[in-house]
Amino acid sequence: MSNARPRGSSPKGFTPKAPVGTSTQKRDLENNGEKEGSITPKSSESTEANKQTLEIQGDEEQAIEHSEEKKVDEEKIVEEVSLMSKMVAVAKSNQVVENGSISRVGKDATLPEDKIALEGSQNDGLENDGIVKEKSISIDERKTEDDSLQIKLKLEMNEKLRKQEIDRLAEEKIRKQEIEILAEENFSKGNKLFVYPQMVKADEDIEVFLNRSLSTLSDEPDILIMGAFNDWSWKSFTFRLSKTHLEGDWWSCQVHVPKEAYKMDFVFFNGQDVYDNNDTKDFYILVEGGMDASAFYDFLLEEKHRELEKLAKEQAEKERLAEEQRRREAEKAASEADRAQARAEIEKRRGTLQELMKKAASSFNNVWHVEPSEFKGEDLIKLYYNKSSGPLAQANDLWIHGGHNNWKDGLSIVERLVSSDRKDGDWWYANVVVPDRAFILDWVFANGPPQSATVYDNNHRQDFHSSVPNGIPEELYWVEEEHQIYRKLQEERRFREEAIRAKAEKTARIKAETKERTLKRFLLSQKHIVYTEPLDVQAGSTVTVFYNPTNTTLNGKPEVWFRGSFNRWTHRKGPLPPQKMLPCK
């Protein structure tokens, strides 16, 4: 065993056979037993394996007959499978290794440990090679089966298409024969018109045939059909006829009959002013399986109702969009008007304040002055007043009534003056908080608070004015003032519009309620003669009519009959059939 070949080094196409009785042979037998229909041969069953191979080849040849393009590939696959099968058979039946013979191992036989190890190593190699080859053969088998299945499916599909085409051609042949028979029969009878199929059904296609030689259009090169359904009230159509293969001067075209049709009306013409209209009676064909006239008119009413609803919705949408557009334009115009009004108001106020600014100062002729001389909005200042300089010299109390920016917010400063310890006059002062956004202060002096003062010093009716040195910038102030005036005008306009809208809604509601009460009062006023239950009659509902003939011309009559209709006796169904009225309690 010293010349034994290492594991996995056997030449290509030849694999050593494992000793008889080893686990490898048993495993090979089990694997071969699990693969039913496998084409892998066994040493003891080579004849059966060859039969299986021939059977598979026979099946493949049947499939290849229908697909010449895959014939060469299938033969290569069979050859490769047969070659692999022979390799496995040789490997299993070979009991002589290249370096000499191996003794058969029996029940009681013993071998040296190194030989047993070498045989085990060789057996492992043979097992691995056998598994790989079996997997390769199994993959090839699956590939062959998939190809055969695809070929079978393709053949079945082609066969199905072929049968469908045969059926179609047979039906077409039968159809042509029937049309030829109809053409001969109608021509022999002098009929210039027929349709196929003869029984016209709703929601199907028909073919209309016209014999031009029997028609008033016999000299016309072009023939057209113009028609509609259900007494010319549904789905009009116009088609051009074509010359047919039939004997004689037969022309035809196809027309689809809608599912709502119960009748087809039509005429023939040359596309201009020459007509064949069946001696002014028009041609018509009755349609089976569709609606009857009554059901169609109900359907037509529903269609009209849906169309009117659609038109009403479209009109309502148009009106809504127009109203929104009008409202936006009105809002835009109102906004521009308010903006212009605010701008004009600001210009007026600005001119007035500019005149006051010229007169404003920090002190005046030993009459008043402000401390400190530099201040701004929200600062606390002391405003001094010389009591002896004016009409308040004899007053016991002194008060300042003030505002800012030409009294913009009215009276916003009210403070009591107290005596000052200055020695150069009868000076009084008050602590005043400068209003925010003020750039000029306005005030007068009085002998009391508002509502109780009787004597004023108002600078000879010109009031007193002092500028705010570090007040808000004038341009910023006027921009903010214009925006405030604009917002105020907008709010006032919105309030007026809401009031107008609420008044209009209230008026409409009152009118509707008044109309309903008037109608109800009218109905109740004749209740001693006739009335219904329910009193409010709705379309589609059932009502009971009560009639009292006592105060009518039918007083004392033994029977009373009811006859009526709808929509001022103009309903399409006409008057209702007379009904005999029954006495009630």
Side-chain angles (χ1 to χ4, degrees):
M1 301 299 291
S2 60
N3 295 328
R5 188 181 304 276
R7 182 173 47 185
S9 61
S10 58
K12 184 175 181 180
F14 180 80
T15 305
K17 174 65 180 177
V20 178
T22 60
S23 59
T24 304
Q25 185 178 14
K26 183 179 181 180
R27 189 180 294 110
D28 290 340
L29 290 173
E30 292 175 354
N31 291 338
N32 290 331
E34 292 173 358
K35 296 179 183 268
E36 184 179 354
S38 173
I39 62 173
T40 305
K42 299 180 184 178
S43 59
S44 60
E45 300 175 356
S46 59
T47 303
E48 183 179 353
N50 290 333
K51 289 181 180 180
Q52 292 176 350
T53 303
L54 291 174
E55 289 176 359
I56 292 174
Q57 289 178 350
D59 294 336
E60 291 174 351
E61 288 175 357
Q62 288 180 352
I64 292 170
E65 288 178 359
H66 302 285
S67 179
E68 292 296 334
E69 296 179 356
K70 293 189 176 181
K71 185 175 181 180
V72 177
D73 294 336
E74 296 295 334
E75 290 177 353
K76 289 183 179 180
I77 292 172
V78 173
E79 289 176 1
E80 291 176 0
V81 172
S82 300
L83 181 59
M84 291 180 180
S85 301
K86 291 177 181 180
M87 292 168 61
V88 174
V90 171
K92 289 186 176 181
S93 61
N94 191 12
Q95 296 183 2
V96 180
V97 186
E98 206 175 355
N99 57 354
S101 61
I102 301 176
S103 300
R104 182 176 182 86
V105 180
K107 252 182 184 181
D108 301 328
T110 58
L111 289 173
E113 293 183 359
D114 56 344
K115 291 184 179 181
I116 294 174
L118 179 59
E119 291 176 1
S121 175
Q122 290 177 344
N123 291 339
D124 292 340
L126 291 174
E127 289 177 4
N128 293 335
D129 291 343
I131 292 172
V132 171
K133 290 179 180 179
E134 288 178 1
K135 288 183 177 179
S136 176
I137 293 171
S138 177
I139 292 171
D140 292 338
E141 289 176 355
R142 285 198 299 270
K143 182 178 178 181
T144 304
E145 292 175 358
D146 293 341
D147 292 343
S148 300
L149 181 60
Q150 290 179 1
I151 294 170
K152 183 178 180 181
L153 292 175
K154 187 174 181 180
L155 290 173
E156 290 177 353
M157 180 62 69
N158 291 337
E159 181 66 17
K160 183 178 180 181
L161 294 175
R162 188 180 67 82
K163 288 182 179 179
Q164 291 178 351
E165 182 65 17
I166 291 173
D167 293 341
R168 188 189 67 80
L169 293 175
E171 291 177 358
E172 183 66 21
K173 184 176 180 181
I174 295 172
R175 177 179 175 277
K176 287 182 178 180
Q177 292 175 351
E178 291 178 350
I179 290 174
E180 289 174 355
I181 293 171
L182 288 173
E184 292 177 1
E185 290 178 353
N186 282 276
F187 183 76
S188 62
K189 295 177 181 179
N191 297 333
K192 59 185 173 183
L193 171 70
F194 72 92
V195 295
Y196 184 86
Q198 290 181 283
M199 179 175 288
V200 179
K201 295 183 179 180
D203 200 21
E204 290 186 359
D205 292 334
I206 64 169
E207 191 167 3
V208 181
F209 292 85
L210 173 71
N211 193 310
R212 186 178 63 170
S213 62
L214 302 177
S215 170
T216 57
L217 302 172
S218 57
D219 298 328
E220 301 298 330
D222 296 324
I223 301 179
L224 292 86
I225 183 173
M226 178 176 65
F229 299 92
N230 303 350
D231 297 313
W232 297 90
S233 61
W234 186 246
K235 293 189 177 181
S236 61
F237 59 85
T238 301
F239 298 111
R240 184 179 297 274
L241 278 71
S242 302
K243 186 73 170 64
T244 67
H245 68 284
L246 301 173
E247 290 187 9
D249 199 8
W250 288 101
W251 295 61
S252 73
C253 72
Q254 285 196 343
V255 178
H256 178 72
V257 181
K259 62 182 179 181
E260 304 87 2
Y262 63 86
K263 181 183 178 185
M264 174 177 161
D265 307 277
F266 57 95
V267 296
F268 299 98
F269 71 117
N270 67 342
Q272 297 178 5
D273 55 356
V274 181
Y275 286 82
D276 185 350
N277 56 9
N278 193 24
D279 296 329
T280 70
K281 299 176 185 178
D282 297 344
F283 300 98
Y284 71 90
I285 300 172
L286 298 180
V287 179
E288 301 292 335
M291 297 179 177
D292 57 18
S294 178
F296 173 72
Y297 280 114
D298 290 339
F299 164 78
L300 209 58
L301 285 177
E302 292 177 1
E303 285 290 308
K304 188 67 175 178
H305 180 66
R306 281 193 288 267
E307 182 181 355
L308 291 176
E309 283 186 343
K310 182 180 178 182
L311 292 175
K313 288 181 180 179
E314 292 176 353
Q315 184 64 24
E317 183 66 14
K318 287 181 181 178
E319 292 177 356
R320 185 186 66 81
L321 294 175
E323 179 63 21
E324 286 185 0
Q325 181 66 20
R326 186 200 63 78
R327 181 178 56 80
R328 284 195 294 267
E329 292 176 354
E331 287 180 354
K332 183 179 179 181
S335 176
E336 292 176 354
D338 292 342
R339 184 75 70 185
Q341 184 177 348
R343 194 177 296 113
E345 183 70 20
I346 287 299
E347 291 297 326
K348 182 180 177 180
R349 292 185 185 183
R350 190 168 189 172
T352 304
L353 274 177
Q354 285 176 350
E355 292 296 324
L356 290 178
M357 290 287 291
K358 296 176 182 179
K359 301 176 182 180
S362 59
S363 62
F364 182 71
N365 294 336
N366 203 31
V367 175
W368 63 270
H369 70 274
V370 177
E371 292 182 358
S373 59
E374 297 292 331
F375 58 90
K376 63 182 185 300
E378 299 184 344
D379 284 354
L380 181 65
I381 62 172
K382 287 187 177 183
L383 197 156
Y384 288 87
Y385 173 63
N386 190 350
K387 179 181 177 183
S388 59
S389 64
L392 297 174
Q394 303 301 323
N396 295 325
D397 288 335
L398 291 177
W399 288 75
I400 179 174
H401 302 171
H404 67 286
N405 299 348
N406 196 24
W407 304 94
K408 171 183 172 290
D409 295 332
L411 192 64
S412 58
I413 300 173
V414 178
E415 297 292 342
R416 185 174 184 176
L417 280 71
V418 296
S419 178
S420 175
D421 56 358
R422 296 182 61 167
K423 298 179 180 180
D424 54 350
D426 192 7
W427 289 91
W428 294 60
Y429 73 91
N431 292 322
V432 176
V433 177
V434 181
D436 185 26
R437 303 178 69 251
F439 59 88
I440 185 172
L441 297 177
D442 316 293
W443 75 89
V444 297
F445 296 105
N447 64 346
Q451 310 302 327
S452 57
T454 56
V455 182
Y456 290 87
D457 184 356
N458 56 12
N459 192 23
H460 305 291
R461 297 189 177 183
Q462 295 183 10
D463 299 340
F464 297 98
H465 305 282
S466 172
S467 61
V468 180
N470 300 325
I472 184 173
E474 187 176 356
E475 290 300 326
L476 176 61
Y477 170 78
W478 290 120
V479 170
E480 293 179 353
E481 280 296 299
E482 181 180 341
H483 187 61
Q484 286 185 359
I485 295 173
Y486 169 74
R487 285 190 301 177
K488 183 179 179 181
L489 292 173
Q490 287 276 287
E491 290 176 1
E492 291 175 354
R493 184 182 297 276
R494 192 175 298 110
F495 177 77
R496 291 196 302 271
E497 290 176 353
E498 288 178 357
I500 293 172
R501 185 164 51 252
K503 184 178 179 180
E505 290 176 355
K506 183 179 179 181
T507 302
R509 186 174 63 256
I510 291 174
K511 285 185 178 180
E513 292 174 354
T514 303
K515 183 178 180 180
E516 183 179 356
R517 284 197 302 269
T518 302
L519 177 61
K520 192 172 183 179
R521 192 179 297 116
F522 169 74
L523 295 174
L524 292 175
S525 66
Q526 58 180 5
K527 190 173 183 180
H528 64 288
I529 299 175
V530 61
Y531 70 96
T532 62
E533 285 186 0
L535 191 63
D536 185 14
V537 179
Q538 300 290 335
S541 63
T542 302
V543 297
T544 303
V545 180
F546 294 88
Y547 173 68
N548 183 4
T550 303
N551 298 319
T552 70
T553 57
L554 297 179
N555 184 26
K557 302 299 180 181
E559 292 181 352
V560 177
W561 288 72
F562 175 86
R563 186 182 183 191
S565 183
F566 306 97
N567 302 340
R568 299 185 183 276
W569 302 89
T570 61
H571 196 269
R572 64 177 183 81
K573 291 186 176 180
L576 299 175
Q579 298 184 57
K580 184 177 180 180
M581 301 188 75
L582 303 176
C584 60
K585 296 181 181 180

